[in-house]
Amino acid sequence: MTFTRGNFLDATGAAVLDAAVASGQSGAAPWYARCYRWAQINTSEKDVVQYDLPWWREQWKRTAVQGLFVNAAGTEFTQYPSKFPLQRRNRFLPDRDLFGEITEAAHRDGLVVVARMDSSGVGEGFFQAHPDWFTRTRDGQPGNGPCINSPYREEYVPGLYREIIERSRPEGFMDNGGFGGAAICYCENCARRFRDQIGKTLPNSADWNDPVYREWVRWGQARQLEIWDLNNRVTKAAGGPNCVYVGLVRKFQANTRAIAKRSPLLLADSQSRNDEGSFRENADEARYMHSLVGWNSVVSQSMALYHHSHGYFRFASDPPAEARMYMLSGMAGGFQPWYHHIGAYGEDRRMYHTAEPVMLWHKKNERYLVNRTPVATVGVVRSELSSVFYGRGAAPQLMQMPYRGMVRALFRTRIPYLPVHIDDIEPQADRFAVLVLPNIGGMSDEQCAVIRRFVERGGSLIATGVTSLYDADGEPRADFGLAPVFGAHLPGPAPDRMVSPETLHSYLRLRPELRASVFGPHVSDVPRESGPRHPALAGFDETDLLAFGGSLTALRVDPDRIVLCTFVPPFPTYPPETAWMRQERTDIPGLIVGSYGKGKVAFLPADLDRRYMLDTLPDHGRLLGNLLRWTAGDNIPFTLEGSGYIGAYLYRQENRLILHLVNGTGTDNGEQISDEYFPIGPLKIRVRLPDGVKAQSLKFQVSERVARPRVSQGSVEFQVPRLIDHELVVIE
Ligand SMILES: [Zn+2]
């Protein structure tokens, strides 16, 4: 049978395809390049007696699913009768091959099956049989699970892969875990391997100041990649070249970039706002993962339809608005949908209606949702090296909060941006007008050189906090690695790495001070300064002070730079009689602007990005937005007017532009679970047209209407009269 994507899609509803077709053996693109819609029924042990296979087959058809994740072997037991005696069988029906039956039915329906493993733990009996497989503490006590350097990982798990392939021929494998933990394992395998490969004995403790411990961390990361490669060698040898192992990746994982370079698709394990923080960050994560694996590869995300958001109520439906907004925001960022249930039999039936409309809309609009290039001129930098070696176990506070706060400011300011890994900047530096380094504390000399060259050639830079003050090991430098670019120098020792998570009663004093001529009470001994102020301080003409909350260190500033605000140290807030400034003025800089080479530079030692995530003060967002607008100049590809909290994501496909809008108003600005939408509109949108896009037609793919575009001065203008949850506008 000849096979094209078209007849595959048509056939899922009608004809039956054989397993060879599903596995991509007949000349079509391999499954991992063409499966866009996935489902996972994460089966419990009880499901062996309650899996209504005929109903689920209908449900997969109704939801236009192309691939399934099916549980094969977990930490506790195996969903098929394994020949390995240590694999405990199902307690309800030991001889039923549930995995095999589901796989066979799926193959008959033309669906791809990825076997779900969980090799992060093992059942009873393993320790008695193989005590040498287990992790050990320093004093030789066994840990909870098998060691990644043991034969369990190298021989036993590969044996399970081979058995599963032999029995049921799934198209690929994923694993929920199995990459070891953060604790040092002192088992004999680890001790021997570390000695052979590194030439040292294992570090005594997790002491980041010990170079041997840092070597152990790097060695452990390399081992994870070795296992990834080993798994792929095993699955491909037994199942054919397309039988790949594709693991799972999690947000802010330390080695996602290296995994992306060796994986034909990425599977993201972040199932709700509980994992991602917000709908906007879900879109951000999708764009980050695509920036690593490429925009023509599939990145699919597990999206929970049960109550995953607050507490894990496995058997309760997430409100449709919450689950749907999560799916839509992920799709807007480039995730392909993969809906997820726990257990095959649910008594809360509401969740069985959530996926269908989203999946059918996805199928209808599939061509606009894959193989597209994002359009943005601001790059917000992430660094795995800095998270590990500067973050030193405190990455959420030191690295993630500043990144997340900067993303929040960009979202609020509606300036399109792309997340970019620091080691991926150089080959695509021309696409960015501005790079943002949100407290990238640890940077190698080479990474500093890349940023320096970017600015020299005319790119603009915003850097915050202690960016570049630490080296690739996370050890403090004598001065910022980017000191010449920042025009700022550290005169003394590096400040404490840890910053206070609490909000201090400190301020930033804006320059020049204008209050002598501003409405309000007057005293005699105030500075008589006059404007104009720098554009970075736009909108603050009636204040000389901004709330701050963080702390700052004295810096020496080069004479060619301008200090736009200085630190006012903390003073009492309570009782109110004590609330007066003890030290009104310092020369400790909070924001330094200027230029280096041909580029503009804003260095913000004040960690307003982190503060904006913690305190959500609008003034912090406004100042960050001002800096983004000042550095970007007129290099902003589209503008959007109208009130609301809106995610706007622009893509290009050859001669067309695609703008995906997601309405986060009332749903994405808090922790409360969404159960309704807050429609907004009209929105006025102006998109700059690149060469090759004519904008002769405008199609609205959610409200299903067309509009006549208005083109003037190289841009197209149009209105979205009403935005309920999302809209996708095709301009071509
Ligand atoms: Zn070990």
Side-chain angles (χ1 to χ4, degrees):
M1 149 177 199
T2 54
F3 183 81
T4 65
R5 177 179 296 166
N7 71 23
F8 176 77
L9 291 175
D10 293 337
T12 53
V16 167
L17 300 177
D18 62 24
V21 170
S23 62
Q25 306 286 310
S26 60
W31 62 270
Y32 46 76
R34 65 177 158 76
C35 270
Y36 301 138
R37 287 175 298 280
W38 293 86
Q40 178 180 10
I41 295 85
N42 209 335
T43 47
S44 75
E45 187 159 20
K46 185 83 184 289
D47 283 336
V48 75
V49 293
Q50 61 183 19
Y51 202 110
D52 184 350
L53 194 49
W55 187 87
W56 279 110
R57 291 175 78 172
E58 287 301 313
Q59 181 74 344
W60 299 330
K61 260 185 222 168
R62 273 190 293 273
T63 51
V65 159
Q66 299 163 299
L68 298 179
F69 298 98
V70 184
N71 299 51
T75 57
E76 292 292 317
F77 63 94
T78 307
Q79 295 277 24
Y80 65 91
S82 171
K83 70 182 180 202
F84 292 91
L86 285 172
Q87 291 300 122
R88 180 170 77 71
R89 295 195 180 185
N90 190 293
R91 77 180 72 201
F92 298 102
L93 279 177
D95 296 325
R96 186 173 176 192
D97 179 3
L98 184 62
F99 172 77
E101 289 173 35
I102 297 170
T103 301
E104 195 195 336
H107 282 164
R108 264 190 276 126
D109 292 346
L111 303 184
V112 160
V113 171
V114 168
R116 184 213 189 251
M117 313 290 290
D118 191 341
S119 57
S120 58
V122 289
E124 284 173 23
F126 278 75
F127 184 73
Q128 287 74 10
H130 299 283
D132 58 312
W133 288 2
F134 281 68
T135 58
R136 297 281 167 166
T137 60
R138 187 134 199 268
D139 56 7
Q141 294 305 306
N144 290 329
C147 173
I148 58 171
N149 283 307
S150 74
Y152 169 79
R153 184 42 71 193
E154 297 198 323
E155 293 158 24
Y156 186 80
V157 173
L160 288 178
Y161 293 149
R162 290 189 199 100
E163 177 181 60
I164 291 164
I165 290 169
E166 227 167 76
R167 291 177 62 97
S168 302
R169 303 208 72 80
E171 278 67 28
F173 284 81
M174 63 103 116
D175 199 315
N176 196 44
F179 284 96
I184 304 167
C185 170
Y186 293 92
C187 79
E188 281 178 20
N189 290 310
C190 282
R192 192 193 61 247
R193 209 185 269 261
F194 195 70
R195 202 170 46 237
D196 291 352
Q197 295 180 349
I198 307 294
K200 292 178 182 157
T201 52
L202 288 164
N204 290 329
S205 65
D207 174 6
W208 285 99
N209 294 315
D210 175 6
V212 180
Y213 177 66
R214 298 196 295 262
E215 271 189 275
W216 179 86
V217 171
R218 290 198 166 90
W219 177 73
Q221 288 183 346
R223 178 63 181 157
Q224 292 174 354
L225 300 177
E226 279 174 20
I227 292 168
W228 193 284
D229 293 342
L230 166 71
N231 290 348
N232 269 291
R233 281 197 303 276
V234 171
T235 54
K236 287 177 187 176
N242 290 329
C243 187
V244 292
Y245 167 91
V246 284
L248 268 183
V249 286
R250 296 188 167 88
K251 189 173 187 181
F252 295 124
Q253 190 171 295
N255 54 9
T256 303
R257 180 171 181 267
I259 286 170
K261 301 293 172 207
R262 64 192 67 219
S263 191
L265 84 162
L266 288 181
L267 301 179
D269 183 27
S270 42
Q271 303 176 25
S272 74
R273 283 199 286 168
N274 202 26
D275 290 333
E276 285 296 351
S278 59
F279 297 132
R280 66 173 183 277
E281 287 172 280
N282 194 28
D284 176 77
E285 192 63 10
R287 286 155 79 87
Y288 178 62
M289 290 200 177
H290 270 295
S291 82
L292 298 176
V293 78
W295 282 89
N296 293 328
S297 294
V298 175
V299 184
S300 197
Q301 181 191 41
S302 174
M303 298 158 165
L305 302 182
Y306 61 90
H307 224 319
H308 184 279
S309 300
H310 289 262
Y312 291 80
F313 292 103
R314 304 291 207 184
F315 293 164
S317 296
D318 221 8
E322 175 74 28
R324 181 178 163 86
M325 286 300 293
Y326 193 72
M327 296 181 86
L328 295 176
S329 59
M331 282 157 49
F335 279 139
Q336 303 308 314
W338 149 18
Y339 68 79
H340 182 176
H341 297 277
I342 300 281
Y345 180 80
E347 296 174 42
D348 182 344
R349 305 301 179 110
R350 296 172 294 180
M351 68 178 90
Y352 299 129
H353 297 297
T354 308
E356 185 179 332
V358 181
M359 302 295 273
L360 293 183
W361 183 85
H362 183 282
K363 180 181 175 183
K364 195 170 169 188
N365 293 281
E366 181 185 284
R367 75 195 122 135
Y368 304 126
L369 300 170
V370 297
N371 301 327
R372 53 190 190 171
T373 312
V375 181
T377 51
V378 175
V380 184
V381 175
R382 289 205 205 180
S383 167
E384 294 168 350
L385 178 146
S386 186
S387 290
V388 175
F389 291 99
Y390 158 66
R392 296 192 169 185
Q397 194 190 339
L398 295 179
M399 289 290 302
Q400 294 166 20
M401 290 308 251
Y403 177 85
R404 298 176 63 198
M406 191 60 78
V407 164
R408 169 178 258 161
L410 277 151
F411 190 87
R412 203 73 191 94
T413 315
R414 297 172 177 168
I415 295 176
Y417 76 95
L418 275 181
V420 58
H421 190 288
I422 193 162
D423 294 327
D424 290 332
I425 290 171
E426 186 89 294
Q428 53 173 343
D430 289 347
R431 89 186 293 165
F432 297 116
V434 182
L435 285 177
V436 183
L437 304 181
N439 202 41
I440 309 292
M443 289 174 66
S444 68
D445 294 345
E446 175 52 30
Q447 289 170 341
C448 290
V450 166
I451 300 297
R452 209 171 51 234
R453 284 197 292 273
F454 172 80
V455 184
E456 267 168 0
R457 291 195 296 250
S460 293
L461 181 71
I462 299 172
T464 71
V466 295
T467 291
S468 80
L469 189 55
Y470 297 79
D471 65 17
D473 275 336
E475 292 288 279
R477 289 190 164 101
D479 197 358
F480 296 100
L482 290 171
V485 182
F486 295 166
H489 307 270
L490 186 73
D496 275 350
R497 184 183 311 254
M498 287 311 296
V499 289
S500 168
E502 66 188 276
T503 307
L504 305 173
H505 189 223
S506 64
Y507 290 83
L508 295 172
R509 178 175 297 286
L510 306 186
R511 288 177 163 184
E513 296 179 49
L514 303 178
R515 66 188 176 282
S517 52
V518 174
F519 176 73
H522 294 284
V523 291
S524 54
D525 60 339
V526 292
R528 304 219 153 255
E529 298 176 348
S530 60
R533 278 181 175 165
H534 191 274
L537 302 182
F540 295 128
D541 286 348
E542 294 205 10
T543 181
D544 286 348
L545 279 187
L546 293 183
F548 175 36
S551 54
L552 282 174
T553 307
L555 299 177
R556 187 163 47 78
V557 179
D558 288 345
D560 65 335
R561 305 301 167 109
I562 309 169
V563 174
L564 294 185
C565 61
T566 54
F567 183 51
V568 178
F571 52 93
T573 57
Y574 193 85
E577 293 88 335
T578 65
W580 53 275
M581 268 178 214
R582 301 302 191 270
Q583 189 180 358
E584 295 187 353
R585 216 166 256 99
T586 69
D587 59 3
I588 299 172
L591 169 57
I592 304 161
V593 297
S595 59
Y596 177 80
K598 293 179 182 166
K600 293 178 193 164
V601 179
F603 176 45
L604 193 61
D607 57 341
L608 288 189
D609 41 7
R610 180 190 288 115
R611 299 313 319 174
Y612 190 44
M613 196 64 205
L614 292 167
D615 303 325
T616 65
L617 293 183
D619 279 350
H620 293 173
R622 178 190 288 264
L623 182 59
L624 293 170
N626 286 345
L627 287 175
L628 288 157
R629 271 188 290 264
W630 173 63
T631 47
D634 57 3
N635 274 312
I636 296 177
F638 66 90
T639 58
L640 196 157
E641 292 170 42
S643 46
Y645 196 66
I646 305 152
Y649 309 95
L650 185 66
Y651 300 92
R652 179 165 188 183
Q653 274 175 340
E654 292 173 7
N655 298 326
R656 72 166 70 107
L657 290 172
I658 297 153
L659 181 66
H660 205 156
L661 302 171
V662 180
N663 181 13
T665 313
T667 61
D668 201 20
N669 43 10
E671 298 211 321
Q672 200 177 332
I673 293 177
S674 302
D675 63 353
E676 64 174 317
Y677 306 105
F678 299 85
I680 54 171
L683 304 173
K684 193 175 149 197
I685 295 163
R686 187 181 168 89
V687 183
R688 195 174 291 177
L689 294 171
D691 287 345
V693 180
K694 293 206 172 71
Q696 288 165 334
S697 80
L698 275 180
K699 293 184 291 183
F700 295 76
Q701 297 298 112
V702 176
S703 54
E704 298 194 330
R705 59 189 189 87
V706 293
R708 188 184 293 272
R710 228 185 81 207
V711 178
S712 71
Q713 297 172 335
S715 295
V716 59
E717 276 184 29
F718 56 93
Q719 287 212 344
V720 174
R722 185 173 150 91
L723 183 65
I724 301 170
D725 50 2
H726 75 137
E727 181 60 275
L728 187 140
V729 188
V730 179
I731 305 161
E732 59 189 345

